[in-house]
Amino acid sequence: MSTTHAPTPTRLHTALDALPGLAREIGQDAAQRELRRELPYAAFDAFRRSGLAALRIQTSRGGLGGSLQDAIHVVTTLAAAEPNVAHALRVHFDVAESLRLASASPFIDRQIGRLVDGKLYGGASGEQGTARAGQIETVLRREGDHYRVTGRKYYTTGSAYADYIRTNLVDEQGNGVTAIIPVRAEGVQPIDDWDGMGQRMTASGSVQFDNVRVEPAEVVEKGYPSLIGRHGGAYRQLHLVAVAAGIVRNVVSDARDYVVGHGRPVLHTTAATARDDVFIQQVVGELSALSHTIDVLVRDTARTLDISSDAILNQDPEADDKVLQSALATARTQIIVGQLALKAGERLFDAGGASATSRKYNFDRHWRSLRTIFSHNPLHHKARVVGDYVLNGTRTHLVEGRTF
């Protein structure tokens, strides 16, 4: 008599199977932690232990070999439990994606090894007080056989929780460079001064560099116009949309839990309970439909970016066009999800009336966070760029590798 054995689960399947439990752990008491402004350091320790830090790295290089769709699934699942954590991992996932697509080199191999070991990356690119958004003025200066950097970065999402900071600088000739700096290096100080109304625990405030030593082996030139850079621009934007999708899932679950646990039927209904009230059922039904639609859009866009990522990796002669289509798909998805998600954040309160506005529930965090996320890049600009492409074939902003 033969015995059929189930296939041995891969490390990828094991990590993804454990994702719901990880999300529950990370999301425990999240709404109240936001009220107390308690930074979720423990959540990032849990993420390190999950093995998902190297989700996108090929198995041949020690990673889990997951798809881009898998990565977006992880982001959305975590965001439904704790969007601050999912958002703060944005640079980490972006670093992993760029490393996956890069050719082997001592610099690339070193960073991949760190990912495989569970290390996390944060970002420090933006600067306040410059003439234009995105302008970099912090200079990397040569000092003997190494470099030094002094300056202050803002919008340093996730850096306080990370092991390494990917920071954008200029060299002494004014050329753009990227440096990898350990968070615990002497002279590095993350500062919890992010005062945005939403995504309050993303550690998106400042990092101060005070004469920090930077090793030459940790410095590379910037590469915005490259296919990898262009793909990364779209991927970073999709990550934000995935966080928003998770928040809207949380809107639906908060609406359901409130109605079942605390709601009362409205004045002009014959229903005995809130859950039987046809008006409230309609609100929750609309919220569920909004969440479903957003999830479908995000999944479909993730499939498009999976195609462009593999096209780059495999040196597909059509990679340029596929990356362009990813930029278009992501922009279109952002435009629509921005509208639908913000509507969900507002509509939630129609499921509970004035009592649902009590600070103890902290339901307003959803709209605040969504509004903050969709303020990153002007959606009206994206709509104009897409329209210019449809009408005139203009590719300028779609191929610059920055916003799109």
Side-chain angles (χ1 to χ4, degrees), residues 200-222:
R200 292 177 173 176
M201 268 72 68
T202 53
S204 292
S206 301
V207 168
Q208 178 70 40
F209 297 119
D210 185 10
N211 199 34
V212 176
R213 178 177 174 130
V214 180
E215 300 301 329
E218 301 287 2
V219 179
V220 292
E221 295 180 358
K222 288 294 296 179

Side-chain angles (χ1 to χ4, degrees), residues 42 58 86 114 154 176 395:
Q58 300 92 323
R114 290 166 176 167
Y154 199 68
R395 297 160 48 102

